[in-house]
Amino acid sequence: MAPQPLTETDIAEALSGLPGWTLEENRLVRSYGFDGHLPAVAMLVHIAAIHEEMDHHADLALGYNRLGVAVHTHSAGGRVTELDTRLARRIEEIAAGHGAR
Ligand SMILES: C[C@H](O)[C@H](O)[C@H]1CNC2=NC(N)=NC(=O)C2=N1
């Protein structure tokens, strides 16, 4: 069965456990800052590995010392699903190890 869009209540509950993440235009978004470029690149590569493991992919925007992450589910009409909250949590778990703030 295709993943179903979460309700506003479900999303609010998920966001309460995801500090720094917000809902913008039907996407869960977060911007991370780093002490330079390579730590941002390293986290991007780590996230790419998680994407492949989960078969679920965020949109990533790499800057000099910033990494923007936006997650939504294409197959749910671009809405937020359980897959997105799961991916956001996986990304949060690795953030501190990359010096992200
Ligand atoms: C065939 C493959 O499982 C799909 O294309 C996956 C890949 N990654 C995906 N990522 C996201 N964000 N949404 C999807 O619907 C999606 N679908």
Side-chain angles (χ1 to χ4, degrees), residues 3 51 54-59 70-76 83-84 87:
H51 288 165
M54 292 183 66
D55 191 26
H56 197 64
H57 301 73
D59 295 326
V71 291
H72 65 159
T73 300
H74 314 141
S75 60
L83 294 173
D84 300 306
L87 176 55

Side-chain angles (χ1 to χ4, degrees), residues 13-58:
E13 194 177 316
L15 284 174
S16 71
L18 288 166
W21 289 78
T22 55
L23 180 68
E24 286 177 27
E25 295 175 358
N26 280 322
R27 293 159 187 248
L28 299 181
V29 302
R30 168 80 146 102
S31 179
Y32 293 101
F34 301 85
D35 290 331
H37 191 51
L38 287 179
V41 174
M43 177 143 158
L44 179 147
V45 172
H46 197 163
I47 292 172
I50 293 170
H51 288 165
E52 292 294 271
E53 180 199 318
M54 292 183 66
D55 191 26
H56 197 64
H57 301 73

